[in-house]
Amino acid sequence: MEIWNRHIECMDRQELRRIQGERLRETVERVYFNVPYYRNKMQESGLGPESIHTTDDLHRLPFTTKQDLRDNYPFGLFAVPMSEIVRVHASSGTTGKPTVVGYTRNDIATWSEVMARTLTCAGANRHDFIHVAYGYGLFTGGLGLHYGGEKIGASVIPVSGGNTIRQLQLLVDFGSTVLACTPSYALFLAEAIEDARIKRDDLKLRVGVFGAEPWTENMRREIEEKLRIKAIDIYGLSEVIGPGVASECLVQDGLHISEDQFYPEIIDPVTLEVLPEGKTGELVFTTITKEGLPLIRYRTRDLTTLRYEKCRCGRTLVRMEKCLGRSDDMLIIRGVNLFPSQVESVLLEMSEIKPHYLLIVDRVNNLDTLELQVEVDEEFFQDKISQLQTLRQKIQTNLESSLGLGIRVNLVEPKTLERSEGKSKRVIDKRKL
Amino acid sequence: MIVHQLSVFLENKSGRLTEVLEALGSERIKITALSVADTSEFGILRMIVSDPAKAKELLKERSFTVNLTEVISIMAPNEAKYYAKVLRILSDLDLSIEYTYAFSVGEKSVIILRCSNTEEALKALKDHELDLLKASDLYKL
């Protein structure tokens, strides 16, 4: 099995720890002097750059959350002058404010490096054709895969998302060997291939790198059987860098984190205490080389476990388990992040309804579906069918334009939606993950 | 004349209509007429009942979305041409009918309709000497 950066990926853990400590010290110093937000926060806790010597001191630093990014929208947490920023990406966020991330030239190089490791982990090399069906644009998926693919010298095909018929044609005609997309889209493509009566022998696909949404071992087996490829789980989030934060190798036993760049911790999401190896908790990252947007103890909200023993592939980098869920209420629908509060704020703006609603998420034919049940309000109810249908259409249109997600709206009788004390149940996720 | 019709929002699921009728039955409310308009997801139940205000309260207590709607009731012989005449009068005045339903009692039929302009419709129907039924008469049928 090939390894892109054997020096780092198979490094003695003691040596790795020394490098991490050194890079952490540099990062803390940079954010202290360049990001007022971090300086204030550290001063409030009585900390200075000299307080942090090794990764053992990390727990003394405060956490960073998605809310902090929003509060400092758009560029408030950047640690370099804008003239040093060469790329900006953004992910969807609540009430229209996206989470914005910026990269310096070195950050783009780092990103390409970790994506090169990821693709090599999946067995890809310069002889491969990589079909990138992740979206290109503000979303980090497409360009992340793209740069990594070019870095290893493969032929990258930037197909982006959508237009399934063209996807199939290119897969056949170009003889792509590596497929990169979300796991649900991979299953969708597998069925489209079947429907189009394309013979498996007409495809040269060998491996797929799938991420950006949670998926199960069952889904993996289904993808592997239907497409007859090896399905590799990759992990990343734009705040940390994008795809490339961690990746499975061909052993498929946990995802190797590029911890020379992103230092992971597992915390108890309630007490915020750091948990020992093997315990399940929330994954927290400190970026230790990033220049544009360095983040200290960024809470990913993803729940997982870390394992430090050496992998059969030879890599010594720590492995995280497939993510088991989240410690907040964020949903990932067809790769788009959605908080129930976003739905609520759209409903609150409409005078005809009260924000009593229930979101039902399901997966039909391998695509996520979203249904919203809204209660009909007595004050607004007259007995005309057309009026109710207009209302339903209006809710649907308002939601789609502000969330960027197709949503099916159903009107329901009042008080059919459960009201529990304090917080009522707003989401039912029927997807079997 | 103007009659208060009871309108109830119903989700399209089994047992809901039964619950409405059981609630009304518990207080011995009589139903003169009933019709249901439905789509694939929901429906609207429309009823002429003996005590609309009380019926509304009963259903509200049971968390139904319910309202009283003003509709027009007309009595005419139960032949198609009389129903046609009523509709013609309204359409000649460009008044649109939101919905209508009818039932017959012996040789007579009662036509219930909801119109875009109740006042104007009532006046026109009176001018044509149609037999407009009072609520109190209708509830007794």
Side-chain angles (χ1 to χ4, degrees):
Chain A
M1 277 186 270
E2 280 177 68
I3 293 176
W4 177 257
N5 189 337
R6 192 170 287 275
H7 170 66
I8 293 288
E9 293 177 77
C10 303
M11 185 175 267
D12 172 70
R13 289 209 59 87
Q14 205 112 40
E15 171 66 2
L16 181 62
R17 222 178 102 76
R18 195 189 56 74
I19 294 177
Q20 287 171 327
E22 199 173 285
R23 291 177 173 179
L24 175 65
R25 275 195 300 281
E26 286 166 12
T27 299
V28 170
E29 196 172 293
R30 268 188 298 116
V31 299
Y32 186 87
F33 289 110
N34 299 333
V35 187
Y37 168 81
Y38 277 122
R39 181 165 57 249
N40 294 340
K41 245 180 150 180
M42 283 174 66
Q43 283 172 347
E44 278 167 25
S45 319
L47 298 170
E50 71 292 340
S51 318
I52 308 300
H53 301 286
T54 71
T55 49
D56 287 339
D57 301 319
L58 189 56
H59 72 274
R60 302 178 63 189
L61 290 169
F63 292 102
T64 310
T65 64
K66 211 179 182 69
Q67 188 59 44
D68 295 324
L69 286 171
R70 255 180 238 133
D71 292 345
N72 291 282
Y73 174 87
F75 309 135
L77 293 186
F78 286 13
V80 295
M82 287 309 285
S83 56
E84 297 300 311
I85 296 289
V86 299
R87 176 98 63 82
V88 171
H89 279 282
S91 67
S92 54
T94 50
T95 58
K97 262 195 190 176
T99 307
V100 182
V101 296
Y103 303 77
T104 64
R105 201 171 294 284
N106 284 336
D107 290 336
I108 296 288
T110 301
W111 194 9
S112 308
E113 160 71 21
V114 293
M115 272 313 304
R117 292 181 196 172
T118 290
L119 287 165
T120 310
C121 248
N125 59 43
R126 57 200 303 270
H127 302 293
D128 278 302
F129 272 76
I130 305 180
H131 181 103
V132 182
Y134 280 109
Y136 277 67
L138 284 176
F139 175 56
T140 49
L143 285 166
L145 263 294
H146 189 103
Y147 275 57
E150 286 189 350
K151 175 106 179 169
I152 65 169
S155 310
V156 181
I157 307 156
V159 195
S160 197
N163 199 341
T164 304
I165 293 176
R166 188 183 56 184
Q167 303 261 1
L168 298 188
Q169 189 197 349
L170 297 184
L171 278 172
V172 173
D173 294 354
F174 292 2
S176 304
T177 49
V178 179
L179 173 63
C181 60
T182 60
S184 53
Y185 193 63
L187 272 176
F188 185 79
L189 278 178
E191 275 169 20
I193 286 167
E194 224 166 86
D195 292 345
R197 300 186 190 283
I198 294 170
K199 289 199 277 308
R200 180 57 182 89
D201 292 344
D202 293 337
L203 293 170
K204 296 206 170 62
L205 283 180
R206 190 181 82 243
V207 67
V209 282
F210 306 123
E213 65 184 19
W215 53 309
T216 56
E217 283 303 323
N218 279 340
M219 273 182 87
R220 189 211 297 273
R221 269 193 292 278
E222 210 182 328
I223 293 171
E224 293 194 331
E225 272 166 30
K226 285 191 167 157
L227 286 173
R228 280 192 262 152
I229 59 173
K230 195 114 172 156
I232 297 295
D233 190 11
I234 64 171
Y235 174 85
L237 61 166
S238 63
E239 299 91 318
V240 173
I241 202 151
V245 175
S247 170
E248 275 182 344
C249 59
L250 293 170
V251 176
Q252 293 176 310
D253 183 21
L255 291 80
H256 296 278
I257 297 174
S258 276
E259 56 175 318
D260 59 317
Q261 315 282 341
F262 322 114
Y263 185 83
E265 296 169 280
I266 295 289
I267 62 160
D268 180 319
V270 180
T271 65
L272 305 182
E273 291 296 319
V274 178
L275 298 176
E277 174 174 2
K279 291 273 184 239
T280 300
E282 183 182 327
L283 183 61
V284 170
F285 278 112
T286 299
T287 66
I288 51 177
T289 54
K290 255 171 81 186
E291 298 176 340
L293 180 65
L295 291 177
I296 304 292
R297 305 191 84 196
Y298 183 72
R299 294 186 59 180
T300 65
R301 302 287 178 174
D302 287 319
L303 299 175
T304 187
T305 313
L306 295 181
R307 276 187 295 151
Y308 289 89
E309 87 260 14
K310 184 175 172 180
C311 179
R312 281 195 281 136
C313 71
R315 290 178 181 84
T316 51
L317 295 177
V318 63
R319 277 173 288 168
M320 59 182 265
E321 292 304 308
K322 244 179 187 311
C323 288
L324 303 165
R326 293 190 51 90
S327 65
D328 64 5
D329 58 356
M330 189 179 91
L331 296 163
I332 304 177
I333 316 284
R334 284 169 251 148
V336 178
N337 297 350
L338 176 71
F339 286 94
S341 56
Q342 287 172 274
V343 172
E344 191 160 325
S345 62
V346 172
L347 297 181
L348 278 169
E349 279 167 28
M350 300 180 64
S351 56
E352 306 93 319
I353 40 171
K354 297 232 167 76
H356 296 308
Y357 67 93
L358 180 67
L359 267 174
I360 302 171
V361 189
D362 207 345
R363 191 163 276 170
V364 181
N365 295 329
N366 303 311
L367 281 185
D368 296 336
T369 61
L370 199 54
E371 179 194 339
L372 178 76
Q373 298 190 339
V374 195
E375 288 182 2
V376 171
D377 187 50
E378 194 179 282
E379 288 163 40
F380 184 72
F381 173 67
Q382 286 162 10
D383 70 340
K384 283 189 267 175
I385 292 275
S386 60
Q387 179 210 26
L388 292 173
Q389 280 176 331
T390 308
L391 172 66
R392 194 180 136 195
Q393 190 57 49
K394 186 178 166 191
I395 300 172
Q396 208 156 297
T397 310
N398 288 1
L399 285 170
E400 284 187 24
S401 65
S402 90
L403 308 180
L405 265 173
I407 216 167
R408 189 160 53 91
V409 173
N410 274 329
L411 300 175
V412 297
E413 289 167 18
K415 314 210 173 67
T416 39
L417 303 182
E418 188 186 318
R419 309 249 198 297
S420 50
E421 273 164 44
K423 212 173 170 189
S424 50
K425 192 165 176 61
R426 296 302 198 192
V427 180
I428 295 178
D429 200 336
K430 292 183 178 168
R431 292 177 294 186
K432 290 177 188 72
L433 293 178
Chain B
M1 293 294 267
I2 292 177
V3 176
H4 285 109
Q5 171 196 261
L6 192 66
S7 304
V8 190
F9 176 82
L10 288 182
E11 269 175 62
N12 218 343
K13 59 185 187 197
S14 68
R16 293 307 279 163
L17 181 56
T18 319
E19 283 169 46
V20 172
L21 297 178
E22 280 171 355
L24 301 182
S26 69
E27 292 287 331
R28 316 201 72 116
I29 284 173
K30 290 177 189 156
I31 299 172
T32 307
L34 180 153
S35 100
V36 179
D38 68 317
T39 70
S40 54
E41 288 87 24
F42 61 86
I44 297 173
L45 171 64
R46 298 166 179 145
M47 284 181 290
I48 306 292
V49 297
S50 56
D51 189 344
K54 189 172 174 188
K56 184 182 171 185
E57 279 317 302
L58 277 173
L59 294 178
K60 257 187 97 164
E61 280 167 21
R62 287 165 175 78
S63 305
F64 284 96
T65 304
V66 52
N67 240 323
L68 294 181
T69 319
E70 291 187 343
V71 294
I72 298 170
S73 74
I74 303 139
M75 182 160 317
N78 63 355
E79 283 180 54
K81 62 178 184 183
Y82 294 100
Y83 210 145
K85 185 182 171 190
V86 169
L87 301 184
R88 172 63 65 194
I89 292 167
L90 300 177
S91 63
D92 281 350
L93 288 169
D94 264 346
L95 295 172
S96 57
I97 291 164
E98 275 152 18
Y99 53 82
T100 176
Y101 54 100
F103 60 97
S104 64
V105 190
E107 298 289 297
K108 296 277 184 186
S109 71
V110 175
I111 298 167
I112 308 285
L113 57 86
R114 179 160 162 84
C115 186
S116 55
N117 187 332
T118 309
E119 293 298 312
E120 215 179 312
L122 273 176
K123 190 178 170 299
L125 294 168
K126 261 184 201 154
D127 291 348
H128 285 82
E129 300 184 335
L130 280 156
D131 188 3
L132 300 173
L133 267 186
K134 271 193 293 192
S136 52
D137 295 337
L138 188 57
Y139 303 149
K140 277 187 222 137
L141 283 175

